[in-house]
């Protein structure tokens, strides 16, 4: 069951989401070749906790870190560790913060040093997919118009849309209803309501849409063909006359 947030709850969401946004800006200023993914996680943990918030991925269903740091062929849920960031890598950093009982959630894909035009185009198109999805979005719009917009733009560019993972509602829980797929038929699905808060998060692969799950660690999702993937996410408030992107 999805929830419609009250004004007070939306105020709390705005605060958690502002912390997420600032943390990602801080990571963007500091991330560079030679760091490990664990170093990135340390930046995230320090920044979020310094804001009086909790990095709510830590301990979520046993997840062992404060961020997901996913390099190149890792689509999402890369566990921070000793992998060193190299010149030419693309690195998605996906974080959540909880304060006053409410979560914010966003992801950016960062470029490390000199990145090939091929990979830069993937990152750019993935961000564009998000903005196509929020174009015209408001109360009354069918949920699957979001996925339709993402899929249309990604596939027009020759990319694969990950189906195994989706966006989601968010609020008192990191993951709430409804599920927000990145593919779908225009006009289908429930009609969005003012006061819903959802995460729209295109996960776009340069090659096949198919992914593998690492059963050894239970988290890391990689592209089935080993080609790179990008991820871009924001928490979005649905309003009568449009949206408010809470993590921008
Ligand atoms: N932030 C992710 C999302 O967009 C969830 C990460 S799973 C976790 O839904 F285990 F790392 F928390
Ligand atoms: Co996320
Ligand atoms: Co999310």
């Amino acid at each position: 069951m999805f929830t419609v947030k009250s004004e007070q709850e939306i105020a709390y969401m705005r605060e958690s989401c502002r912390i997420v946004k600032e943390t990602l800006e801080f990571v963007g200023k500091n991330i560079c070749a030679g760091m490990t993914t664990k170093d990135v996680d340390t930046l995230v943990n320090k920044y979020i906790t310094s804001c009086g918030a909790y990095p709510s991925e830590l301990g979520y269903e046993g997840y062992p870190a404060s961020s997901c740091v996913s390099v190149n062929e890792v689509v999402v849920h890369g566990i921070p560790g000793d992998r060193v960031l190299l010149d030419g890598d693309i690195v998605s950093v996906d974080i959540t913060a909880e304060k006053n009982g409410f979560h914010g959630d966003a992801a950016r894909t960062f470029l490390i040093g000199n990145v090939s035009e091929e990979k830069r185009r993937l990152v750019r198109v993935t961000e564009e997919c998000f903005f196509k999805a929020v174009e015209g979005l408001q109360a009354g719009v069918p949920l699957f118009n979001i996925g339709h917009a993402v899929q249309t733009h990604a596939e027009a560019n020759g990319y694969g849309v990950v189906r195994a993972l989706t966006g989601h509602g968010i609020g008192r829980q990191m993951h709430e209803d409804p599920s927000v797929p990145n593919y779908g038929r225009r006009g289908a699905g429930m009609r969005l309501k003012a006061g819903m808060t959802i995460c729209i998060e295109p996960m776009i692969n340069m090659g096949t849409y198919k992914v593998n799950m690492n059963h050894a660690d239970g988290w890391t999702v990689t592209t089935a063909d080993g080609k790179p993937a990008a991820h871009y996410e924001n928490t979005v408030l649905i309003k009568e006359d449009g949206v408010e992107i809470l993590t921008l």
Side-chain angles (χ1 to χ4, degrees):
M1 191 44 202
F2 69 88
T3 61
V4 164
K5 271 73 180 174
S6 68
E7 270 311 316
Q8 175 61 70
E9 292 173 325
I10 290 167
Y12 286 142
M13 291 287 300
R14 281 197 186 98
E15 170 149 26
S16 303
C17 288
R18 179 186 53 78
I19 293 166
V20 165
K21 173 195 110 133
E22 286 181 9
T23 305
L24 288 169
E25 286 169 355
F26 176 69
V27 170
K29 287 194 186 111
N30 289 283
I31 196 168
C32 61
M35 288 171 83
T36 64
T37 53
K38 178 70 195 166
D39 293 334
V40 176
D41 190 65
T42 301
L43 291 176
V44 169
N45 182 287
K46 288 217 168 110
Y47 197 96
I48 292 177
T49 53
S50 79
C51 297
Y54 180 73
S56 44
E57 290 179 349
L58 183 61
Y60 177 82
E61 292 185 5
Y63 188 73
S66 301
S67 60
C68 298
V69 183
S70 305
V71 183
N72 296 336
E73 78 289 351
V74 181
V75 182
V76 288
H77 304 167
I79 301 174
D82 53 16
R83 183 166 178 168
V84 176
L85 303 183
L86 301 175
D87 187 75
D89 283 348
I90 58 172
V91 184
S92 114
V93 179
D94 182 2
I95 64 169
T96 65
E98 179 265 312
K99 191 167 182 177
N100 299 309
F102 289 85
H103 300 262
D105 182 4
R108 306 282 179 259
T109 298
F110 297 107
L111 308 176
I112 306 299
N114 287 307
V115 175
S116 69
E117 171 53 27
E118 200 188 19
K119 278 174 159 178
R120 277 187 280 133
R121 192 174 80 92
L122 174 68
V123 172
R124 186 174 69 238
V125 169
T126 302
E127 290 178 12
E128 287 168 2
C129 284
F130 170 87
F131 290 99
K132 297 266 183 194
V134 294
E135 223 174 86
L137 200 62
Q138 60 180 40
V141 170
L143 175 65
F144 294 160
N145 283 22
I146 293 171
H148 180 80
V150 170
Q151 183 175 23
T152 301
H153 190 57
E155 291 180 355
N157 281 278
Y159 297 144
V161 174
V162 175
R163 314 242 196 301
L165 298 130
T166 66
H168 49 91
I170 185 168
R172 286 188 186 277
Q173 311 290 330
M174 184 199 301
H175 293 146
E176 298 183 355
D177 287 341
S179 172
V180 182
N182 290 306
Y183 56 90
R185 191 163 57 80
R186 208 178 151 73
M190 69 171 291
R191 287 178 187 271
L192 295 168
K193 291 188 173 52
M196 288 177 73
T197 44
I198 59 172
C199 290
I200 300 177
E201 47 180 312
M203 290 160 264
I204 307 297
N205 295 350
M206 192 178 282
T208 178
Y209 72 86
K210 292 185 180 155
V211 297
N212 292 329
M213 164 64 102
N214 179 329
H215 294 290
D217 69 23
W219 287 101
T220 316
V221 177
T222 52
T223 57
D225 58 10
K227 290 185 179 173
H231 182 202
Y232 183 78
E233 172 176 30
N234 284 303
T235 301
V236 173
L237 168 67
I238 307 296
K239 306 205 293 184
E240 290 299 347
D241 58 352
V243 295
E244 185 177 324
I245 304 172
L246 301 178
T247 45
L248 273 187

